[in-house]
């Protein structure tokens, strides 16, 4: 199954990675630089949670228990 949005995101990601020779460190540094520029421009930034959320249902707690 092909999804045109997923295909477009993957193409953008590949183009961005190609600019840096697929070097993960260079890609990371560019993304952090872009993030800092957006924060400096006043765009809101929501940091990731420091601790994963605790499951709130028995289904979520046992979903992977049998694997």
């Amino acid at each position: 199954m092909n999804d045109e949005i997923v295909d477009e995101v993957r193409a953008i990601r590949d183009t961005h990675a190609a600019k840096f020779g697929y070097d993960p460190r260079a890609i990371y540094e560019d993304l952090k630089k872009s993030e800092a520029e957006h924060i400096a421009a006043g765009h809101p930034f929501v940091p990731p949670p420091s601790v994963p959320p605790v499951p709130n249902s028995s289904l979520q707690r046992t979903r992977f228990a049998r694997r």
Side-chain angles (χ1 to χ4, degrees), residues 2-4 13 15 18 22 24 33-34 37 40 43 48 54 56-57 60 64 66:
N2 290 335
D3 184 327
E4 63 187 50
R13 183 179 61 196
T15 302
Y22 298 93
K33 177 184 161 202
S34 176
E37 290 171 355
H43 295 279
V54 177
N56 60 0
S57 77
Q60 289 176 327
F64 299 107
R66 295 185 189 137

Side-chain angles (χ1 to χ4, degrees), residues 5-6 11 20-21 23 29 34 37 41-42 46-47 51-52 54 58 60 66:
I5 295 172
V6 172
F20 299 99
D23 177 21
E29 289 171 4
S34 176
E37 290 171 355
V46 179
V51 179
V54 177
S58 60
Q60 289 176 327
R66 295 185 189 137

Side-chain angles (χ1 to χ4, degrees), residues 19 25 27 31 34-35 43 49 53 57 60 67:
K19 283 199 277 188
R25 182 153 320 268
I27 295 167
L31 292 173
S34 176
E35 179 182 284
H43 295 279
S57 77
Q60 289 176 327
R67 289 189 177 183

